[in-house]
Amino acid sequence: MNNPAEPQIGIIGTGVTSSRAASVLHTLGHTPRVEKLGSASTLFDCDVVILAHGAPHDALTSAFVAQGVAVVSTSDNLTDVLAILDGQDKAVARGVPVVAGAACLPGLSGLLVTHVSRAFESIDEVHNAVHGTGGPMCAVQHHDSLAGTSIGWHDGEWLQRPAGSGRELCWFPDPIGARDCYRFASPEPVLLQRAQPGLQRITSRVSATRRDRLTSRLPMLRKPHAEGLEGGLRVEVRGLRDGRRHVEIVGVADRVATVAGAVAAHTALALLNGTVIPGVHNLGEATMPNADILDGVTSSGVTLHQFIGR
């Protein structure tokens, strides 16, 4: 049993991402309390709670903040993340930190942008893409995100485009390789713009097949796999180095749930250690210990790949 005097981490959700987060925490000597979605109130005495279930997370985030519990949300739903960001004043008033979008994309992507930016004098563009899904709820979110409206940041303005448009061939680390990727309803541009206000252009894409796009406005035709198989993340950063245009591309090739679980777990530990001030944050912001979290993620087995130009 947990010692009541010890800091407590709770996890809401019994899917693949929650199990990956719990595994990482166990390895680091923590025993998180894992509960189903309907049992959230039993974790009100925790210090930090990871929300690792399907969206929405907004209402639960508000409930935990009201109880003085720090929150790490893995939601990648655009509407949900925007609602969580609106809770800034409540989080500050209650004196607790909240981190939105602590998963793969968004999440690890924000950490990698900050990491890569050290190779530049300044950065002005970020173009990210993700391949694969974490589990059944993630697959549903992937399906729905191709039917909504995609947002992007272009020369200081927010642009809206139909999700499923804007085909682009993106290269992911082996063994994934090249995949057709499309705009989708993602909170990634919003979170990156918060983290890097100097950026002039931000795009976010997801890999999809022709069938994915054609059926995105219909109910899913088949039951999603219990755990997404291969997954990957590609982060492309552009800017100035030595007074010239420069591009850096990094990525990972791993199951999305494995990445999301590791990111969520190490973000929760950062909150538990008291290194994040009250308020609503996202990974990549200057208010976050990004380097420490990224080091933790890589030490948990997520390998970074860098694209080398010829």
Side-chain angles (χ1 to χ4, degrees):
M1 295 180 63
N2 288 309
N3 185 337
E6 295 178 352
Q8 298 287 301
I9 299 178
I11 301 176
I12 301 292
T14 56
V16 186
T17 299
S18 62
S19 67
R20 296 295 180 272
S23 177
V24 170
L25 292 170
H26 276 295
T27 301
L28 297 172
H30 295 267
T31 305
R33 292 158 54 189
V34 182
E35 296 288 351
K36 296 180 179 180
L37 180 57
S39 304
S41 61
T42 63
L43 299 180
F44 281 166
D45 60 339
C46 287
D47 298 278
V48 181
V49 168
I50 299 172
L51 303 184
H53 55 89
H57 288 185
D58 172 43
L60 265 185
T61 298
S62 296
F64 278 111
V65 166
Q67 296 295 321
V69 180
V71 177
V72 174
S73 167
T74 63
S75 176
D76 61 355
N77 178 281
L78 174 58
T79 301
D80 194 30
V81 170
L82 291 176
I84 292 172
L85 295 178
D86 283 342
Q88 167 72 7
D89 292 342
K90 292 180 180 178
V92 171
R94 198 63 181 84
V96 295
V98 173
V99 180
C104 182
L105 184 153
L108 180 58
S109 52
L111 297 176
L112 292 182
V113 169
T114 299
H115 173 71
V116 169
S117 67
R118 296 181 299 180
F120 294 79
E121 295 166 10
S122 63
I123 63 173
D124 52 34
E125 294 187 44
V126 173
H127 305 284
N128 295 342
V130 66
H131 168 73
T133 59
M137 294 305 298
C138 185
V140 172
Q141 172 62 25
H142 171 277
H143 176 80
D144 293 343
S145 70
L146 286 166
T149 299
S150 170
I151 60 172
W153 182 248
H154 186 92
D155 294 342
E157 294 184 354
W158 289 109
L159 300 181
Q160 296 187 357
R161 296 287 187 270
S165 65
R167 176 175 173 263
E168 185 173 303
L169 186 66
C170 296
W171 287 86
F172 294 87
D174 290 336
I176 300 168
R179 301 282 175 160
D180 284 332
C181 295
Y182 302 85
R183 300 185 183 102
F184 71 126
S186 168
E188 173 81 341
V190 174
L191 297 180
L192 284 181
Q193 200 277 332
R194 280 169 51 96
Q196 303 281 349
L199 290 173
Q200 292 301 303
R201 298 184 181 185
I202 306 171
T203 62
S204 180
R205 284 177 167 79
V206 64
S207 68
T209 64
R210 184 169 182 270
R211 181 180 62 190
D212 292 335
R213 296 169 59 234
L214 290 176
T215 63
S216 61
R217 288 171 173 77
L218 303 173
M220 293 190 72
L221 299 180
R222 62 181 181 182
K223 185 177 180 180
H225 196 278
E227 177 177 5
L229 301 178
E230 64 176 16
L233 173 67
R234 172 195 166 97
V235 172
E236 179 176 336
V237 181
R238 303 178 185 177
L240 292 178
R241 185 168 77 175
D242 299 327
R244 303 175 64 181
R245 294 296 293 173
H246 181 69
V247 178
E248 291 275 344
I249 303 174
V250 295
V252 300
D254 209 328
R255 296 188 176 191
V256 172
T258 297
V259 174
V263 171
H266 285 283
T267 302
L269 290 176
L271 301 193
L272 196 67
N273 293 334
T275 56
V276 182
I277 63 174
V280 181
H281 311 271
N282 55 274
L283 297 177
E285 282 190 319
T287 53
M288 295 296 298
N290 299 297
D292 291 342
I293 296 173
L294 181 58
D295 286 345
V297 171
T298 56
S299 69
S300 294
V302 177
T303 301
L304 303 185
H305 300 261
Q306 182 175 12
F307 289 78
I308 306 296
R310 295 181 178 178

